[in-house]
Amino acid sequence: EVFLQESGGGSVQAGGSLRLSCTASGFTFEGSDMAWYRQGPGNECGVISSISSDGGTFTDNSVKGRFTISLDRAKNTLYLQMNSLEPEDAAVYYCAAASPRGPPGAWPPGGGACYLTLVTNGYTFWGQGTQVTVSS
């Protein structure tokens, strides 16, 4: 089985920073498309940042210049460095990966309101999410 797990969430004041991490067992991130999604308090779900198998990155305009996605291949760990956090950034953050071998036999648990979005966008694995709270 494949398991992804996010960590690093917490409660911070506006302007603060957090570093989210995503580790995987039974799966290698390198060679796969990867992304960070977030589910807001109104259950809105959208991609925040992604990194493709060839190294190309995408960052949503709402966090561009503040958030940075990166991959440590040696540690098989995906990161999201979040700086200058704003109250609007409060959400549950999910990491996701798209296996080049296609969908698994069964979808992983979790995903919340992001589940359908993740499946529609071609992702095959994701974690349980990590909560980020930002106070003003």
Side-chain angles (χ1 to χ4, degrees):
E1 291 183 298
V2 175
F3 295 97
L4 272 62
Q5 182 169 298
E6 305 91 343
S7 63
S11 180
V12 299
Q13 293 183 336
S17 298
L18 286 172
R19 186 194 191 196
L20 305 185
S21 300
C22 178
T23 58
S25 61
F27 182 78
T28 300
F29 284 136
E30 187 173 7
S32 301
D33 295 333
M34 297 160 285
W36 287 96
Y37 283 73
R38 70 183 181 188
Q39 178 182 327
N43 291 328
E44 305 91 353
C45 182
V47 62
I48 299 304
S49 189
S50 64
I51 181 168
S52 64
S53 59
D54 63 2
T57 60
F58 164 84
T59 305
D60 186 77
N61 286 334
S62 65
V63 300
K64 196 170 186 178
R66 300 188 296 117
F67 292 11
T68 303
I69 191 171
S70 63
L71 172 67
D72 188 327
R73 294 173 175 80
K75 297 182 181 295
N76 196 37
T77 301
L78 183 71
Y79 298 100
L80 183 68
Q81 178 66 48
M82 305 187 296
N83 298 325
S84 301
L85 283 161
E86 304 170 354
E88 292 76 16
D89 297 319
V92 177
Y93 285 74
Y94 298 93
C95 71
S99 172
R101 298 185 178 182
W107 300 113
C114 285
Y115 172 77
L116 290 177
T117 299
L118 291 165
V119 172
T120 299
N121 290 345
Y123 291 94
T124 55
F125 304 109
W126 51 82
Q128 297 292 335
T130 184
Q131 178 73 52
V132 172
T133 302
V134 185
S135 60
S136 60

